[in-house]
Amino acid sequence: MKPPVRVLVDATNKISSAGVVEILEGLSGFEVVAEPADADVVVVLVDRVDVGTPARLRRWASSTTGPLVLVAGDLGGLDLLTAVSCRVSGVMSRAGVTAERLGEVLRTVAANGAVVPPALLGDLLRQVARLHQEVLAPNGLTGTGLTSRETDVLRLVAEGFDTAEIAEELNYSERSVKHVLHGMTTRLGLRSRAHAVAHALREGMI
């Protein structure tokens, strides 16, 4: 039997909190907890997304290790990229909260999935496109946070190529290859080539 998904509920008002807690207590497979260290998922309920919402999410992201689910009465103005950076894996409109739907969302994010309302997907794509155009592309970075040159080099390292072979394959000097690898491992706080490959594979960079 699977252990229950442990959920901490944080709400801007007691009525909202009590309502969600009541729903969870009536669902099989969930346990409401009070301590951040005990939580698998944190549900953050706000009346509307405002200037204080990102700070609220960041506080939870810094005090817990699991994903967050944001439930808001009004999702207008939500910066999805900021939410994602705060480990928000699920977004729900309060009007759409039912016992069945809340259970589905919590199970999904607890299993490392993500849930975003279809109406917000267009906003997310536009924000990602703007990030690429205004931040990544001007700095020669791709969506993975690596430059195209770093990606090419790292893929060959993963395939077992040594420095000389990488230089020949990409038509670089060996010094350039070493410079690329050193810059990448230093920037990402990695210890070695092997560590860089393991990190890139784990994060889906290559």
Side-chain angles (χ1 to χ4, degrees):
M1 183 176 179
K2 289 184 178 180
V5 177
R6 298 170 300 175
V7 183
L8 186 149
V9 179
D10 170 51
T12 52
N13 65 73
K14 292 182 179 179
I15 294 176
S16 295
S17 178
V20 171
V21 169
E22 184 178 357
I23 289 174
L24 291 171
E25 288 179 340
L27 288 173
S28 175
F30 294 95
E31 177 186 348
V32 178
V33 298
E35 297 297 327
D38 297 331
D40 299 314
V41 182
V42 175
V43 176
V44 179
L45 297 102
V46 297
D47 292 329
R48 66 181 184 278
V49 174
D50 57 24
V51 293
T53 302
R56 193 183 195 95
L57 296 175
R58 290 189 187 99
R59 283 197 298 272
W60 282 115
S62 65
S63 61
T64 61
T65 58
L68 278 62
V69 172
L70 174 65
V71 180
D74 181 3
L75 290 166
L78 175 62
D79 185 330
L80 285 167
L81 292 181
T82 297
V84 169
S85 74
C86 296
R87 294 206 312 277
V88 172
S89 297
V91 178
M92 300 181 69
S93 168
R94 193 163 60 190
V97 174
T98 63
E100 181 179 4
R101 182 58 180 157
L102 181 60
E104 289 176 355
V105 171
L106 290 174
R107 290 186 189 95
T108 298
V109 301
N112 297 319
V115 180
V116 178
L120 293 181
L121 286 177
D123 288 341
L124 177 59
L125 292 173
R126 284 189 289 273
Q127 289 178 27
V128 170
R130 187 168 65 248
L131 173 67
H132 185 272
Q133 181 179 5
E134 297 177 2
V135 178
L136 297 179
N139 290 286
L141 298 174
T142 64
T144 63
L146 300 177
T147 66
S148 56
R149 174 181 279 196
E150 288 171 342
T151 301
D152 290 340
V153 169
L154 201 52
R155 281 177 179 153
L156 293 176
V157 172
E159 292 175 13
F161 285 53
D162 63 22
T163 301
E165 291 169 331
I166 294 172
E168 182 178 357
E169 181 73 17
L170 298 178
N171 199 27
Y172 296 160
S173 68
E174 290 188 37
R175 182 177 180 181
S176 293
V177 173
K178 291 177 181 178
H179 179 75
V180 169
L181 287 168
H182 176 74
M184 177 182 57
T185 54
T186 300
R187 189 177 76 250
L188 298 178
L190 304 171
R191 297 185 298 274
S192 64
R193 294 186 182 194
H195 190 195
V197 170
H199 174 79
L201 290 172
R202 184 174 61 248
E203 299 297 325
M205 292 178 171
I206 59 173

